[in-house]
Amino acid sequence: MMNEPVITVIGSINMDLVTESDMRPKAGETLLGSHFSMIPGGKGANQAVAAARLGAKVNMIGCVGDDLFGEQLTANLKKEGIAADYVEPVTHQQTGIAAITLAEGDNSIIVVPGANHDLSADHISKFEALIAESDVVLLQLEIPLEAVVKAAELAKKHRVKVVLNPAPIQGLPDQLINSADLITPNEHEYDQLKRDYQGDLQVLKNKLVVTKGGAGTAIFKNGKETIVPGYAISVVDTTGAGDAFNGALAVQVAKGASLEEACRSANAVGALAVTKLGAQSGMPTADEVEAFLKKGV
């Protein structure tokens, strides 16, 4: 039996404050909402939960505030079976939050990073041994870029695969692009990456996995685009669908799956994630994914 894959996720940990309403308020307008929830979130934590529920051994590196949200979020990671001893409380910052409005069939999000922005390159360096023992390091951009660059650099040094989810999108230094094995933008992020990148576009494309929602995923072989189809499914909440995809992709890469096979499985995980409310609460288990794929939806 194959050992469980080891994924180290380095990224954000937030409390999602979710308001549901039929419509979004216009500037200066007040509307009555239908429901409010506080749900553990943050792209890093979401992706860690996604990978853990799929059977991976997951380490989480990040920062929270020394406050109630920080305690709750760390406890939640541990409840999910994630090694959270590498999550550091920061006394002078509040835990990050995301204010999410669910309305008109989609979401709008404002993120206040808080303690997530205290995660530094020096902090990452303390965990070099942990990174070296991983099969995949999974990164996003809700933490300082210097920390992301350092994590990718250490992973490359130890020949550990790097999956980079470039969200929220920003200019990426060549060093980071060169260190990443796979870069997973959505269509909007892909367009900006192409505009910003000054190097050989062919080199960039061969690292890309472009998510297209229900339409599936685009991958590139020698510059030629191939679409791995998505799945038609009833949508409840799109929050966290991309994180579900990235967590699943990291697990499949760690298992040695081909890129097409990895994307097919990750597309299924992303599809299942939108059938439930909340990012982490919607992450499916390995058994649920296997059953879904057997149906051939």
Side-chain angles (χ1 to χ4, degrees), residues 43-279:
K43 294 190 74 63
N46 292 347
Q47 293 177 16
V49 170
R53 289 195 183 173
L54 295 171
K57 180 182 185 300
V58 180
N59 307 308
M60 181 77 213
I61 298 174
C63 288
V64 294
D66 188 14
D67 53 24
L68 181 59
F69 281 173
E71 292 174 9
Q72 291 173 333
L73 293 171
T74 303
N76 181 70
L77 290 170
K78 292 177 179 177
K79 185 187 76 175
E80 294 285 349
I82 296 165
D85 294 340
Y86 320 107
V87 174
E88 183 173 301
V90 180
T91 56
H92 61 280
Q93 280 279 25
Q94 293 179 322
T95 298
I97 64 99
I100 300 173
T101 299
L102 299 181
E104 301 165 351
D106 210 335
N107 61 64
S108 302
I109 305 173
I110 297 175
V111 175
V112 182
N116 290 304
H117 272 193
D118 280 63
L119 191 60
S120 66
D122 288 343
H123 189 102
I124 300 301
S125 294
K126 294 191 298 185
F127 299 113
E128 181 172 353
L130 186 71
I131 290 170
E133 293 168 0
S134 307
D135 295 310
V136 171
V137 167
L138 180 54
L139 303 166
Q140 326 76 32
L141 301 177
E142 286 185 341
I143 57 175
L145 189 59
E146 67 166 40
V148 178
V149 171
K150 173 57 72 173
E153 172 194 314
L154 292 175
K156 188 174 179 66
K157 172 183 173 183
H158 294 285
R159 299 183 180 180
V160 174
K161 291 188 180 299
V162 174
V163 176
L164 170 65
N165 177 214
I169 189 64
Q170 58 182 283
L172 301 181
D174 288 352
Q175 178 186 356
L176 180 55
I177 290 174
N178 293 337
S179 296
D181 293 277
L182 293 174
I183 303 174
T184 61
N186 61 23
E187 293 175 282
H188 162 69
E189 294 155 357
Y190 174 47
D191 288 340
Q192 185 162 333
L193 277 174
K194 287 190 296 184
R195 288 195 300 270
D196 292 347
Y197 188 57
Q198 301 297 312
D200 184 344
L201 192 57
Q202 194 63 50
V203 173
L204 175 64
K205 278 189 172 182
N206 287 338
K207 294 174 179 276
L208 292 181
V209 174
V210 183
T211 56
K212 297 174 173 283
T217 308
I219 58 177
F220 299 86
K221 294 181 180 178
N222 300 318
K224 184 179 179 181
E225 182 178 306
T226 299
I227 299 294
V228 182
Y231 299 89
I233 199 160
S234 297
V235 175
V236 173
D237 177 12
T238 58
T239 308
D243 296 331
F245 177 92
N246 278 277
L249 185 71
V251 172
Q252 291 299 317
V253 168
K255 289 181 175 180
S258 70
L259 187 54
E260 285 192 44
E261 181 185 353
C263 288
R264 178 174 174 267
S265 179
N267 284 345
V269 173
L272 285 169
V274 305
T275 64
K276 298 178 184 177
L277 177 65

